[in-house]
Amino acid sequence: MEEFLPEDEPLLNARRRGQEVGAAPIGAAGGAALRFLATLISARTVVEVGSGCGVSGIWLLRGMAKDAVLTSVDVEPEHQRLAKQAYAEAGLGASRTRMITGRALEVLPRLTDGAYDMVFCDALKHEYPEYLTAALRLLRPGGVVAFDNALWHDRVADRSVRDPDTMAIREVHATIREDERLVPLLLPVGDGLLCAVKRD
């Protein structure tokens, strides 16, 4: 599954640099799923929480409209710098991205309600429930929210594991499943990609 759509040189370089600085970018199959979702909904405005040093951003931008803008939020300035380098190598102009360095829970409240087609979350796992709350405010009707690491290295399915990160991811699973405003889907790609569409 991970090799169905091989990554090209800009993606491979971005992934390598991300791993060198300790980031864990979304895998190739998860990235392909993000591109598919962005294309499916004709996304023009996307927020990503956690830049993945450019890996997720390249996948998203390649699925978004040609004049669309990705807003990338990351607390690590070095990750943002590497993301900018990755976008340039992939031929994605600076006008396609808006980079915001800061803690997601401080940045997201400043973004406009209902103004985004998609929100992708891949940052601090214990903050996932708060990211979901923010995403529901930010998304337009018909918009999509997606969470990477939804299986969290098989910890989520093991009920004996009760660390804060695992518990937070389980909470997001439950909330998305039970919220009647959402249409949920858990994709078994990479470490799991939990998605939901916000109903009209």
Side-chain angles (χ1 to χ4, degrees):
M1 186 178 289
E2 290 295 321
E3 297 173 358
F4 177 68
L5 292 172
E7 293 184 315
D8 61 8
E9 189 171 347
L11 277 165
L12 290 172
N13 288 340
R15 183 175 302 287
R16 174 183 50 79
R17 288 190 295 262
Q19 291 167 344
E20 287 173 355
V21 297
I26 192 168
L34 292 179
R35 183 180 67 175
F36 180 88
L37 291 168
T39 303
L40 189 67
I41 63 171
S42 302
R44 304 181 63 82
T45 53
V46 175
V47 176
E48 67 168 1
V49 181
S51 68
C53 297
V55 174
S56 52
I58 291 174
W59 279 112
L60 284 163
L61 284 162
R62 287 177 173 175
M64 295 163 65
K66 295 299 182 186
D67 59 346
V69 176
L70 172 69
T71 298
S72 181
V73 181
D74 201 310
V75 73
E76 296 288 346
E78 178 66 1
H79 293 187
Q80 294 280 41
R81 185 188 70 78
L82 292 174
K84 289 178 184 178
Q85 181 180 347
Y87 301 149
E89 288 181 6
L92 300 164
S95 64
R96 301 285 312 279
T97 59
R98 177 172 64 149
M99 314 293 281
I100 304 175
T101 304
R103 289 189 64 245
L105 297 184
E106 296 173 358
V107 173
L108 295 176
R110 303 200 303 262
L111 302 182
T112 304
D113 292 8
Y116 295 89
D117 300 310
M118 187 171 177
V119 176
F120 170 59
C121 305
D122 188 16
L124 296 174
K125 309 311 169 193
H126 66 271
E127 293 184 351
Y128 268 22
E130 288 84 0
Y131 299 162
L132 176 59
T133 299
L136 293 179
R137 180 182 59 79
L138 295 172
L139 287 171
R140 63 163 173 82
V144 172
V145 61
F147 292 86
D148 192 25
N149 304 115
L151 301 177
W152 200 223
H153 315 297
D154 298 325
R155 295 187 184 104
V156 171
D158 184 349
R159 290 295 167 181
S160 68
V161 179
R162 303 186 62 80
D163 63 274
D165 287 344
T166 304
M167 295 296 287
I169 296 171
R170 281 196 195 116
E171 180 182 337
V172 169
H173 278 245
T175 302
I176 286 178
R177 271 198 316 266
E178 296 164 8
D179 192 326
E180 294 184 356
R181 296 172 296 173
L182 301 174
V183 179
L185 177 65
L186 177 58
L187 294 173
V189 295
D191 194 27
L193 188 68
L194 178 61
C195 311
V197 178
K198 181 180 176 181
R199 295 181 187 271
D200 293 343

